[in-house]
Amino acid sequence: MNAAAQQVYKPRRNLELALLLMALTVAVGSQFLVALALDEPITTDYYVEGAVFAGLVLAFHVVLRLRAKYADPFILPIVVTLNGLGIAMIHRLDFTPSFSGVADRQLMWTGVSIVAAIVLLWLLRDHRRLRQLTYISLAVSVVLLFLPIVPGLGQELNGARIWVTLGPASFQPSEIAKITLAVFFAGFLANNRDLILLAGRKVGPVTFPRLRDLAPMFIAWIIAIGVLVVQNDLGNALMFFGLFVAVIYVATSRFSWIAIGSVFMLIGAALAYQFVGHFRDRVEIWLNAFDQDIYERTFGGSYQVVQGLFGLAHGGLVGTGLGSGNPNMVSLANSDMIIAAFGEELGFIGLSAMLLLYLLLFSRYMRAGLGTRDTFGKLLAVGLAVVLVLQVFVVVGGLTRVIPMTGLATPFLAAGGSALLANWLIVAVLLLISHSARQPVIVGPMVNATGESSSGIESRLQHSDGPGARESAVHRHSAHRHHHDDDETRLNHTPADQQAPADQGGTK
Amino acid sequence: MNNAIRHTWVVSVGLFITLFVALSIIQVAMTDELNANPNNVRQVYEDRGAPRGAITVDGTAIAESIPSENSSFDYQRVYNEPELYSGITGTYSIAANPTGLEGTLNEYLSGQSDSQFFDRIASVFTGDTTDGGQVELTLDSELQQLAYDQIPDGTRGSIIVTEIATGDIKAMAAKPSYDNNLLAVQDSTELVQNQEQLETDPDLRYTSRAISSTLAPGSVFKLVDLVAMLESDDYESDTILDNPNSITLPDSNTQLENFDRGICGQRPQAELSWIVAQSCNTPFAEAAMDLGQGPIQDSAEAFGFNSEDLGIPLRVETSNFPEDLSDAALAQSSIGQFDVTSTPLQMNMVAAAIANDGTLMKPNLVDAIRGSDLQLLETSEPETLSEVTSEEVADEITEMMIGVVESGTATRAQTQSFQVAAKTGTAEVGDTGEVNSWITGFAPADDPQYAVTVAYERIDFDTGSSLTAPQMLTMLEAAIE
C-alpha cells in the first residue's frame, strides 16, 4: 500500500461544486416536476424559491471553501438532494385537501437551517471547541428534555408530549437535545475513557466498569429515557438509547457494552410494555396490524400503519409516479409518514435510491469519525452518525413493520422545522470533523524530530499501516494527552486492530 | 477505536439491509395481496377516480369525466341532461358496481378492453393514465328530448323509437327519471343520503322502464297471436269469426269478455281485420285454444319472449310467455293477460319485425366505440335476431294494423302525411281499476322507417288512451319529417 499517497487529501471543493449542481438539479427540478405532474401553473414563486435555495446552498459551499476546505465533499450534496426531495413531496401533498400550505414553511425552515448551519460552521471553526461544552451540553439537554412537560409550555400532539409552544412558534426540543446529548456523551467519554477502560472488575469474560465512573452518564441516560417515556416519545427514547450504546461501545471497544445495552433495552421494553399503554398499543399494532378490530380502533389502532403499507404496495416496484398516487390517504403523510408517500409515488426503486443516499451520508459521517485524530471528534461523529441511522431505521422500520412504529421525523425529508434545523446543525458539525480528518497536519519545527521530510504533510511510519499508527504519529507530534489510547485498547482487548486494514481512503 | 467504528458501520449497514428486505417484501412480493385487501380503498380511488371515456349522443357528451379538485379521486364523472339519459347510461359510482351502459361497456369506457391493449402499452411508456374509449349512442337527442317531454310527470311511462331497418334505438325515454349525478358524488355519506332520498319514490327505476319494467301487454300481444294464426293457414284477414261478448273459459267459471268500452258488441260475427281493428278479445281466445299452446309460444319466442340474454348492449329484462298453460290460461294469455309480461322494448320489437317484413332486427343503442385517440374501435352492424315470419304474413298483419288506425282503436294516430300502422293494448292490472295502456306501431306503412312504442303502467284508462296514440304519432312525425 502506498501509504504516503493515501494520506494526502485534496480539498475536493470543485468535486463538491459539481455534485452540488447535480443535487440542486434534482432538488429544484423536482419542484417543477410536481407542478408539471399535477398540471399546476408554474408561477414565478418556483423560480424565486429555487434561486433562494440554490443561493443558500452555494453560499454554504463558498463558506466551506473559506473555512473548511478539506471538509467531506459528499455530505452537502447528499443533504441538499434529500432536503429538496422532501420539499418537493411536501409541496406535492400541499395540493391535496388535508395537507396544504406546508411546503413554504418547510422551505423557510430549510433556509433558516442552512443559515444556522453556516453560522455555526463559521463561528465554531473547530469541532474540538465543543468539547469545552461537555457539561453545559448536559445541562442544556436536561432543560430541553424537560421543557415539554413544563405546564403552559408543553403541548401534546398525537399522543406524544414533545412540543413546546412559545407564542406562535412551536418546536420539538428533543431534536436539538440529540445534538447536545451527543456532545455530552462524546465529551464525557473522551475525558473519562481511561478510567472506564482501566478500572473495573472482571466477571468471567466480561469486564464491568466501576459504576461511579459511569454515574454521570447513567444519570443523563436515565433522565433522557425517563423524560421521553413520560412524554410518550418512544422514537426518541430508542434513538437516545442507541446513541448511548453506540458511543460507549466505540469509546471502549468492548462488546460487553453491547451486551449490557441489550439487557437494558430488553428491561426497558418490558417495563414500557407493562406500564406505558401507548407502547403496548404500538406493540399490538406491530404484531397484529391486519386484525380488523385493531385496524378499526379509533385510538391506538393500526389504521396508520396499514394505510402506510397499502401506500407502499400501491407504489410497487416503480411507483405510481409523482402526483399520481394517493399518499394523502396516510395520516401525517408529509411528516412522520413521508417515507410512505415516497414509497408510493417513487416506488421501491425510488425509495431504495433515497435509502442509499442515507446510507452514503451515514458512511460519510462515519468516515469523518474514522479519519479525525481526536477521540472527542471520533465519538461525536459516530454519535451523530448513529443518530442519523437510527432515525431512518426507526421511521422506515416502523413503516415496514420491522419494529413497532414510533413517531420520528425522517431526517431532511419530513415537514418540521426543529428536526430540519437539528439535522443541518449536525451537518455543520460533521463537515468540521471531516475537515479536521482530511486536512494535512502542519508539522512544526519542534516536532520534526523523526527525521522525516518537512513537507508540511504528515507521513506514515514505515512499519505500520494501521490507522492507529497515524494516530500515534499525530500524538507524537502534538503530545496529545491520550497518546496511549490505541495501545491500551490493543493490549486490553482487540488484537484485531493490528491486522485491521488500513484506512480505506474512501474519499479518493 | 476505529475498529469499533467499523463494527458500528457494519451493524448499521445490516439495519439498512433489513429495511431493503422489508421494503422489497412489501413493495414487490406482497403488492397483490395488499392491493386486494378489503380495507385498501386505494384501488377504489384509482379505479373510480380514473378518467373514463365519454358517452355521447349526436357528438355531445352526456357522460364525461372531468378532473376533480380537492378530492382523493382524480376525476369526477359528470352526467349532462341526466334525467333524459340516466336510465340508459347508468351511473359510475364510488360505492357500487357501475350500472347501465357504464357497467355493460365498462371495459371500453375504462380503456381495459382487448382492442385498447396497445393504448395501455403506450401509456406505460408515456406515463399517462390510460384514457377510456368513447361510446357513441344511436340516440337522437331531439327525439329523446321530445319523447321525455311528452311523458307527463307523475306517470310511469316510456316511449321508444327505433329505426326499423337497423334496429337502432333513436329514443328511449321513461319517467320517473332521476339525476344520476346524485349517485356519482364522491363522498360516501352524501351518496347514501342521495340514494335514500331517491328511493323514497317507489316508482323510481334506476334502469329505464322501457327495458326494465315487464308489464302485462294486453291487446298488443294479439300481434303475436296473429302471426301464429296466419301461419296456420286457417285464418286470413277476411276470415269470419264468432265474436260473442263473452265466453266461459274451459274448466272454470271465469268469463272472458270483450272490452266494454269498445264497439265489439255491435257484431256477433266479424271478419278478422275488423276484430283486430276493434281489438275484440273472444275471437282471439277461441283461436288460441284452437291452435294450442305450441304455435302461440313459438311465435312469442320468435319475437324474443322468454329469451334471457338480450343485450342492446344494456341487458333487457326478460319478457315472459308462460309454458304449459291450461286452455283457460292460454286463452287469457292470448290477449296479453294472465302471466304474460313484456317490456315496452319487447313490444316495439314485435311491431318493428312486422314492419321489417318479418325479420327481427336486434335493437341497439351503441353506434360506435372509439379509442381515446378517437380511432374507431368498433362500429355496430345491423344484426338479425330471427326470421319471425314470412313477408306475406307480415304484410297481411300490417294491413290489419293500418285498419286499427283508420277505423279502429287508434284513430287518434291518423295523419295526412303518411299512413300509420299500429296496435293498441289495454291490460287490466289486478282489481285496481288501473290499466297498462299501450300502443305500438310504425310508419309509413308502405315503407316502414320507424317503429314507436308508448307504454304507461298503472294509469287510468282514459288518461292512458288519450296519451298513447297521439304521442306515438308525434314521435313518428318527428322521426320521419
Side-chain angles (χ1 to χ4, degrees):
Chain A
M1 174 173 278
N2 191 342
Q6 286 245 329
Q7 280 200 274
V8 184
Y9 291 110
K10 293 176 184 161
R12 295 262 179 206
R13 293 268 73 78
N14 290 336
L15 172 65
E16 180 183 71
L17 182 59
L19 290 173
L20 271 181
L21 292 177
M22 287 168 58
L24 283 170
T25 310
V26 174
V28 178
S30 54
Q31 315 291 325
F32 285 86
L33 280 180
V34 167
L36 290 175
L38 295 171
D39 282 333
E40 295 290 335
I42 294 179
T43 58
T44 47
D45 287 358
Y46 284 78
Y47 297 100
V48 172
E49 288 170 357
V52 170
F53 185 58
L56 285 171
V57 166
L58 293 176
F60 204 145
H61 169 76
V62 171
V63 169
L64 284 180
R65 280 186 186 264
L66 297 174
R67 277 294 166 109
K69 72 174 180 175
Y70 285 93
D72 190 296
F74 299 102
I75 292 176
L76 195 55
I78 294 174
V79 169
V80 166
T81 309
L82 289 170
N83 199 150
L85 287 172
I87 297 173
M89 182 53 81
I90 294 166
H91 182 53
R92 179 255 176 280
L93 284 162
D94 272 355
F95 291 110
T96 63
S98 32
F99 310 90
S100 53
V102 186
D104 286 346
R105 211 166 63 217
Q106 180 79 349
L107 192 66
M108 187 203 76
W109 272 109
T110 303
V112 169
S113 304
I114 295 178
V115 170
I118 292 173
V119 169
L120 178 65
L121 192 125
W122 189 271
L123 295 180
L124 193 58
R125 307 190 85 164
D126 190 328
H127 67 272
R128 277 168 289 201
R129 290 172 62 189
L130 288 172
R131 190 171 175 171
Q132 299 159 2
L133 303 176
T134 300
Y135 290 96
I136 294 174
S137 294
L138 175 62
V140 170
S141 307
V142 171
V143 169
L144 285 174
L145 290 171
F146 270 108
L147 273 182
I149 51 176
V150 174
L153 274 180
Q155 196 189 0
E156 187 162 328
L157 254 179
N158 305 315
R161 195 179 179 88
I162 54 177
W163 292 85
V164 166
T165 315
L166 273 177
S170 63
F171 72 105
Q172 261 179 292
S174 56
E175 292 291 342
I176 305 296
K178 69 194 176 193
I179 306 179
T180 52
L181 271 180
V183 169
F184 166 69
F185 286 154
F188 178 82
L189 285 169
N191 291 342
N192 300 292
R193 221 175 128 232
D194 300 352
L195 275 174
I196 296 167
L197 277 175
L198 294 177
R201 198 187 309 150
K202 202 169 160 71
V203 180
V206 183
T207 310
F208 287 101
R210 292 183 310 179
L211 206 56
R212 61 178 167 163
D213 296 332
L214 285 173
M217 191 121 193
F218 268 115
I219 292 166
W221 175 71
I222 287 168
I223 288 173
I225 303 293
V227 167
L228 292 171
V229 168
V230 169
Q231 295 168 3
N232 268 343
D233 186 2
L234 297 159
N236 272 320
L238 186 61
M239 195 184 70
F240 288 148
F241 188 83
L243 164 68
F244 170 74
V245 171
V247 173
I248 204 165
Y249 166 67
V250 169
T252 60
S253 295
R254 285 186 185 165
F255 281 111
S256 55
W257 282 105
I258 305 284
I260 296 170
S262 305
V263 170
F264 268 78
M265 194 165 82
L266 288 176
I267 294 171
L271 287 176
Y273 189 84
Q274 204 65 36
F275 298 110
V276 186
H278 189 61
F279 181 67
R280 201 160 43 238
D281 283 351
R282 294 300 170 100
V283 171
E284 205 175 356
I285 289 166
W286 174 50
L287 295 174
N288 306 307
F290 286 96
D291 185 288
Q292 197 67 22
D293 288 341
I294 295 179
Y295 177 77
E296 285 168 357
R297 207 185 278 166
T298 318
F299 295 104
S302 65
Y303 182 81
Q304 189 184 13
V305 177
V306 170
Q307 285 302 320
L309 290 174
F310 287 161
L312 290 176
H314 187 223
L317 188 63
V318 294
T320 61
L322 202 56
S324 301
N326 296 305
N328 51 308
M329 291 180 57
V330 182
S331 40
L332 302 176
N334 62 7
S335 53
D336 285 9
M337 299 292 279
I338 198 165
I339 287 288
F342 278 108
E344 178 170 2
E345 300 217 315
L346 303 185
F348 174 70
I349 292 175
L351 186 50
S352 298
M354 293 174 67
L355 287 182
L356 281 177
L357 282 182
Y358 277 120
L359 186 54
L360 276 176
L361 182 61
F362 164 71
S363 302
R364 299 319 299 172
Y365 283 7
M366 292 296 265
R367 185 68 193 73
L370 273 178
T372 192
R373 298 154 181 89
D374 65 307
T375 312
F376 172 73
K378 281 179 189 298
L379 293 176
L380 185 56
V382 168
L384 295 175
V386 166
V387 162
L388 175 81
V389 141
L390 285 177
Q391 285 185 94
V392 175
F393 182 73
V394 164
V395 171
V396 185
L399 182 64
T400 53
R401 286 177 78 206
V402 173
I403 55 170
M405 178 176 280
T406 54
L408 260 194
T410 320
F412 304 109
L413 294 180
S418 337
L420 209 50
L421 178 64
N423 283 307
W424 271 99
L425 292 179
I426 290 174
V427 167
V429 172
L430 259 305
L431 284 169
L432 282 175
I433 296 176
S434 69
H435 171 66
S436 94
R438 297 171 77 252
Q439 84 185 118
V441 170
I442 308 298
V443 179
M446 183 192 84
V447 290
N448 193 9
T450 55
E452 289 170 312
S453 79
S454 48
S455 64
I457 294 171
E458 179 201 15
S459 71
R460 227 166 240 273
L461 291 182
Q462 296 294 311
H463 64 269
S464 166
D465 57 2
R470 174 147 50 89
E471 210 166 299
S472 306
V474 179
H475 296 154
R476 197 170 306 148
H477 294 310
S478 60
H480 194 283
R481 68 184 175 114
H482 287 300
H483 69 277
H484 56 278
D485 280 1
D486 287 281
D487 295 333
E488 299 282 358
T489 313
R490 217 171 285 144
L491 287 174
N492 279 346
H493 238 292
T494 49
D497 249 10
Q498 280 168 321
Q499 296 125 35
D503 189 359
Q504 302 296 324
T507 52
K508 284 282 152 183
Chain B
M1 208 165 174
N2 279 354
N3 256 4
I5 295 178
R6 289 193 186 95
H7 293 156
T8 311
W9 184 82
V10 169
V11 170
S12 302
V13 171
L15 291 182
F16 269 94
I17 290 172
T18 318
L19 294 183
F20 283 121
V21 170
L23 269 182
S24 55
I25 289 173
I26 291 166
Q27 295 206 273
V28 183
M30 280 177 51
T31 47
D32 291 344
E33 192 186 328
L34 286 168
N35 285 334
N37 189 296
N39 287 326
N40 191 350
V41 291
R42 270 158 204 279
Q43 205 62 37
V44 176
Y45 282 142
E46 172 117 317
D47 295 347
R48 303 292 156 112
R52 290 164 70 76
I55 302 177
T56 67
V57 169
D58 292 341
T60 308
I62 56 169
E64 60 187 324
S65 292
I66 59 169
S68 55
E69 299 288 329
N70 292 329
S71 163
S72 301
F73 299 90
D74 292 343
Y75 287 83
Q76 163 80 56
R77 197 67 165 157
V78 171
Y79 298 93
N80 304 317
E81 311 222 44
E83 280 88 1
L84 238 51
Y85 300 106
S86 55
I88 295 169
T89 58
T91 309
Y92 193 72
S93 149
I94 57 161
N97 286 331
T99 56
L101 286 176
E102 293 276 23
T104 321
L105 299 178
N106 189 33
E107 271 193 357
Y108 292 99
L109 290 167
S110 63
Q112 301 301 313
S113 73
D114 291 343
S115 47
Q116 283 148 294
F117 177 73
F118 290 104
D119 288 0
R120 289 202 297 280
I121 295 290
S123 75
V124 169
F125 291 105
T126 59
D128 294 336
T129 36
T130 323
D131 287 329
Q134 173 174 315
V135 172
E136 300 174 3
L137 301 189
T138 56
L139 295 175
D140 178 308
S141 57
E142 286 175 23
L143 286 179
Q144 178 76 5
Q145 181 78 53
L146 179 64
Y148 182 79
D149 289 345
Q150 286 205 79
I151 306 170
D153 289 333
T155 63
R156 294 162 287 272
S158 43
I159 296 181
I160 302 167
V161 180
T162 64
E163 190 174 64
I164 285 163
T166 58
D168 285 353
I169 297 171
K170 291 295 173 187
M172 188 165 91
K175 277 186 186 173
S177 189
Y178 63 104
D179 181 351
N180 52 344
N181 287 311
L182 296 174
L183 301 178
V185 293
Q186 293 179 335
D187 178 297
S188 50
T189 325
E190 202 183 336
L191 174 62
V192 171
Q193 281 171 1
N194 288 346
Q195 196 163 358
E196 282 170 0
Q197 177 65 33
L198 284 177
E199 286 170 5
T200 53
D201 180 356
D203 290 331
L204 179 80
R205 302 246 173 167
Y206 286 130
T207 307
S208 174
R209 280 182 175 272
I211 54 171
S212 68
S213 182
T214 54
L215 54 156
S219 298
V220 280
F221 190 78
K222 287 171 186 165
L223 295 173
V224 175
D225 302 335
L226 280 174
V227 170
M229 286 163 71
L230 298 182
E231 278 183 345
S232 73
D233 292 337
D234 296 339
Y235 303 87
E236 301 285 342
S237 58
D238 52 3
T239 309
I240 306 291
L241 297 171
D242 287 340
N243 184 26
N245 257 337
S246 76
I247 55 172
T248 305
L249 294 177
D251 309 322
S252 74
N253 298 322
T254 312
Q255 298 287 306
L256 190 149
E257 298 170 335
N258 282 337
F259 190 53
D260 56 7
R261 305 280 288 267
I263 58 166
C264 285
Q266 291 174 1
R267 292 172 64 176
Q269 283 196 320
E271 64 271 24
L272 182 58
S273 57
W274 190 87
I275 288 165
V276 170
Q278 305 310 328
S279 202
C280 306
N281 290 334
T282 49
F284 277 95
E286 294 285 1
M289 288 189 282
D290 287 347
L291 288 170
Q293 163 124 19
I296 309 274
Q297 185 168 342
D298 288 349
S299 170
E301 290 180 355
F303 277 117
F305 279 84
N306 296 348
S307 154
E308 289 179 359
D309 50 5
L310 179 61
I312 62 171
L314 279 182
R315 191 182 121 52
V316 179
E317 198 57 43
T318 304
S319 299
N320 185 45
F321 186 83
E323 299 183 11
D324 299 324
L325 293 168
S326 67
D327 274 359
L330 180 62
Q332 288 177 308
S333 297
S334 72
I335 57 166
Q337 298 275 188
F338 191 62
D339 286 343
V340 179
T341 57
S342 170
T343 58
L345 181 69
Q346 173 62 67
M347 272 309 154
N348 194 72
M349 287 159 70
V350 171
I354 291 167
N356 197 34
D357 297 332
T359 302
L360 176 62
M361 304 305 291
K362 184 176 174 181
N364 173 39
L365 266 171
V366 175
D367 191 34
I369 297 175
R370 293 177 187 275
S372 51
D373 51 358
L374 298 186
Q375 186 190 348
L376 207 54
L377 293 179
E378 293 195 10
T379 123
S380 74
E381 295 296 326
E383 196 179 328
T384 303
L385 264 189
S386 69
E387 298 291 343
V388 179
T389 187
S390 66
E391 195 177 333
E392 291 72 29
V393 170
D395 285 349
E396 207 169 344
I397 297 174
T398 302
E399 285 303 318
M400 289 190 270
M401 288 170 77
I402 294 171
V404 174
V405 175
E406 288 189 336
S407 59
T409 52
T411 50
R412 278 185 273 202
Q414 285 176 17
T415 172
Q416 302 296 317
S417 319
F418 44 78
Q419 205 168 34
V420 178
K423 181 75 195 82
T424 59
T426 304
E428 292 166 12
V429 184
D431 298 327
T432 58
E434 289 181 318
V435 297
N436 296 332
S437 196
W438 288 81
I439 196 167
T440 184
F442 51 87
D446 54 347
D447 176 25
Q449 292 175 27
Y450 294 96
V452 174
T453 301
V454 181
Y456 286 93
E457 203 171 336
R458 287 186 282 120
I459 195 165
D460 75 86
F461 174 77
D462 289 325
T463 314
S465 54
S466 71
L467 290 174
T468 48
Q471 290 183 347
M472 179 185 76
L473 181 60
T474 309
M475 294 315 298
L476 284 171
E477 283 176 324
I480 292 167
E481 53 72 52

